[in-house]
Amino acid sequence: MKAYRFPLILLSSVLIGGIIGLVFGEKATLLKPFGDLFLNAMFTVVVPLVFFTIASSIANMGGTKRLGKIMGSMLGVFLFTGLIAALYMVVVVKIIPPAQGVSLQLEKPEALEDVTLADQIVSTFTVPDFVELFSRNNMLAMIVFSVLVGLSVSMIGEKGKPFASFLASGSEVLMKLVSLIMYYAPIGLGAYFATLVGEYGPMLLGTYFKAGVMYYVSAFLYFVIAFTIYAFMSGKKQAVTVFWKNMLSPTVTSLATCSSAASIPVNLEATRKMGVSADIRETTVPLGAALHKDGSVLGGVLKIAFLFGIFEMNFSGFGTLTSVVLVAILVGTVMGAIPSGGMIGEMLILTLYGFPPEALPIIAAISTIIDPPATMLNATGDNVSSMMVSRLVEGKDWLKKKSAELSSKIA
């Protein structure tokens, strides 16, 4: 229960806010300034936080030839499984729209200007002036800049170590700042929900039940079916057997702790028993806890579809669905090792699609509801990814070789 303490407090604050909204109606809007304080604090810290955490994690990576191959294979696997997760959830929300019939009279995003694809790509990933990187309206450009800074620091070796230390220190400072802000989250989210329910009634609360059920069922099916397929891809039937034979402890631990980081020791032990080499598992599992989150990708698609439904926006068309897939994968990465990373990912969704700040508490509640199964997928997915990386790095017979080595040691 200790691991669930804060999510339960957040959920309780949302429920209390909903009750206050139902009882007092529009009078509950008097609480809106308390919610604004929380939103402003989070939007203020998000840009430096994402810069320091991304640049620091890349700047402090080492490099050897085998490590480079492992890293390349790992990132490829992470992107592949994230893409599959996003496409899968897009199909689910297209079949069962999570917020159908719900409409809130909030400020709607402005229609996108009619620009060429090339111009849109340029404006999305770059800015004409350095100072514009500090605006959350240019989040993707800032992320690209952060990656390039981290790579530059890593490539110059010893000369970059002082700057790498600065980035690591900045990351720790801002993580602590976010953790301090999150102490106020129950009050801020509760106040905002009181305002929302006071204005729009119980229809919003009922929609959460539908979205929650949809996610739990979808996550369980992905866990069983997709992970079995991934294991089969890594080493056919033998790999499937080995994978599921060693999955009980990681699954239970991730559900019990609701933390990908807390699941790392159990995942390392499980992947060792699966036959994954030490350098592969000790690279893929810890980095996967920060960068590989299929459960968060599923949640990202759900949240975007939820907001599209609430704001009565058209959730169709190749361009829209492609952007949803890409943003969901990006959200799954941004959530990383950042404390309350879900909130950061949600702010990214609001920024990229132009939703008003008032939409943040709406999807923040979804994060709390889906947290256990999302964490399960995030954490246990690193194990099957380690097996897939082994297949790419060590060849198709990697598992047979490991089994033969183990048998010879026993003999």
Side-chain angles (χ1 to χ4, degrees), residues 295-324:
S296 299
V297 172
L298 296 181
V301 174
L302 176 65
K303 293 168 191 174
I304 295 171
F306 195 88
L307 290 179
F308 266 66
I310 284 178
F311 287 96
E312 299 180 315
M313 296 168 62
N314 184 23
F315 191 76
S316 61
F318 179 79
T320 297
L321 296 181
T322 299
S323 74
V324 169

Side-chain angles (χ1 to χ4, degrees), residues 18 26 34 47 108 144 146 162 183 200 220 261 323 326 335 356 398:
E26 292 190 3
F34 294 97
V47 171
K108 296 187 178 182
V144 171
S146 304
Y183 282 117
Y200 305 111
F220 177 76
S323 74
L326 294 177
M335 291 178 74
W398 71 274

